[in-house]
Amino acid sequence: MNMPVRLTTGDRIAETSSKGNQEKWLEDSRWYKLDLFGYEGLAETVTSRLLRQTNVEELGFRYVTYRMERLEVHRRTRNGCSSPNFLLPGESILTLADLFRKGIGPHWQAEVARQPNLAGKVHWMAEQTIRLTGLRRFGIYLTLLFEVDMLFGNEDRHLNNIAVLRRGEEFDYCPIFDFGAGLLSNVRDYPMDVDPQALVKQLRAQPLNTTFARQVKAARSVYGAQLQWAFSAADVVAALEEPLEFYAERDRVYIADRVRSCIHWQAGKL
């Protein structure tokens, strides 16, 4: 495949991701992110493609769409992805970490810790967000987010990756974003030479720092199951076809096997 390479200045100083290391920047109304530990761009792209075959929009919520990019940055050609800037004029993103810090105070984490169990923690986060923003369906949104993360094995859903949109004193639901830590994309933590099924068993869910199954069970016990999906194994293969072309041929069969295995095992547990 003949891929265009998007040229950027070699002197670019990129912003960093929530983990403080994956470079990203805004240009021409799109956000660009570079792969760092493996195939984050593929994980973002494949996840957003498969979300088309879910009920996220039927539930009244949105998700960010990603596409693969080949980028020349710091005088090197790198893989990455891009997504549209979904913020309207006057809008900003307010993460739950910032919302709680501003709306509850510096000791909000101690209040979370006082909750008796995981369901209590989920309920506390949802109800505090409802109180501070007026978004009455936030418990449903949060449950859906946890289910999406479980399905795709996304470990990076800390409270800086859960957010609401703010327009002055009004709030709205933020499109679901940032799937790059899913699908076993971090080959530093999840090496390519280890059986994917064994790696899936090691996954941990944020923000509750537990297994995905326990986190989702806790949310569903309060707000009910939300996510439905209609994609097949063949749809996963189709979603992988174009993004795989960006990676070394020797790695493609391993990446494809890891992605398929992750979704298969996570879907079975979900």
Side-chain angles (χ1 to χ4, degrees):
M1 182 174 67
N2 185 18
M3 299 173 201
V5 177
R6 182 177 181 84
L7 299 177
T8 68
T9 170
D11 299 322
R12 176 178 302 286
I13 300 175
E15 297 183 28
T16 56
S17 72
S18 56
K19 287 189 173 182
N21 39 35
Q22 188 181 4
E23 292 179 294
K24 63 179 181 179
W25 65 91
L26 180 65
E27 182 178 340
D28 297 332
S29 297
R30 293 190 71 84
W31 279 100
Y32 292 83
K33 291 199 292 188
L34 297 177
D35 285 0
L36 181 66
F37 295 131
Y39 49 90
E40 292 95 335
L42 180 145
E44 301 268 27
T45 302
V46 170
T47 298
S48 67
R49 288 182 178 180
L50 292 175
L51 284 174
R52 297 173 189 166
Q53 295 173 265
T54 69
N55 65 332
V56 170
E57 292 183 337
E58 292 174 24
L59 289 171
F61 304 116
R62 296 178 292 158
Y63 57 89
V64 175
T65 58
Y66 293 85
R67 74 184 186 204
M68 290 296 304
E69 300 280 357
R70 186 151 283 174
L71 302 154
E72 187 174 305
V73 183
H74 306 311
R75 301 174 182 87
R76 292 177 56 202
T77 300
R78 303 271 299 277
N79 286 334
C81 64
S82 71
S83 59
N85 179 21
F86 54 80
L87 292 176
L88 299 174
E91 280 188 339
S92 60
I93 289 178
L94 183 62
T95 69
L96 257 60
D98 284 337
L99 178 70
F100 294 161
R101 190 161 42 244
K102 294 174 181 177
I104 299 171
H107 305 297
W108 65 268
Q109 290 172 307
E111 292 196 35
V112 180
R114 280 197 290 269
Q115 304 308 308
N117 49 39
L118 294 178
K121 290 177 170 61
V122 174
H123 185 257
W124 185 93
M125 288 190 289
E127 292 303 308
Q128 292 301 319
T129 304
I130 292 168
R131 179 178 67 83
L132 293 168
T133 66
L135 297 174
R136 306 302 303 175
R137 301 176 68 232
F138 196 82
I140 293 173
Y141 173 89
L142 193 60
T143 301
L144 176 68
L145 184 59
F146 289 169
E147 291 169 325
V148 168
D149 286 336
M150 179 172 177
L151 182 58
F152 298 105
N154 179 24
E155 292 189 300
D156 197 31
R157 192 64 65 192
H158 47 75
L159 293 187
N160 282 313
N161 268 346
I162 307 174
V164 296
L165 299 180
R166 183 169 189 170
R167 304 186 200 98
E169 297 304 312
E170 296 184 352
F171 296 89
D172 200 354
Y173 298 96
C174 187
I176 299 172
F177 65 96
D178 204 342
F179 318 118
L183 302 177
L184 301 173
S185 68
N186 186 333
V187 300
R188 181 190 65 173
D189 292 345
Y190 300 108
M192 290 276 244
D193 58 353
V194 178
D195 179 71
Q197 185 178 351
L199 297 175
V200 170
K201 293 178 181 178
Q202 300 175 31
L203 293 173
R204 299 286 290 181
Q206 297 294 336
L208 298 184
N209 190 28
T210 185
T211 65
F212 281 102
R214 291 187 68 199
Q215 179 163 286
V216 166
K217 181 179 179 181
R220 284 177 167 179
S221 72
V222 183
Y223 299 105
Q226 302 301 325
L227 180 65
Q228 298 175 14
W229 64 94
F231 57 80
S232 64
D235 293 322
V236 176
V237 172
L240 276 164
E241 185 175 358
E242 184 262 346
L244 281 174
E245 294 292 325
F246 284 75
Y247 296 88
E249 187 172 358
R250 67 178 183 276
D251 294 332
R252 292 174 192 169
V253 64
Y254 298 104
I255 294 173
D257 184 45
R258 288 158 67 92
V259 170
R260 292 194 304 266
S261 295
C262 182
I263 294 174
H264 172 75
W265 291 106
Q266 291 298 95
K269 290 183 288 185
L270 185 59

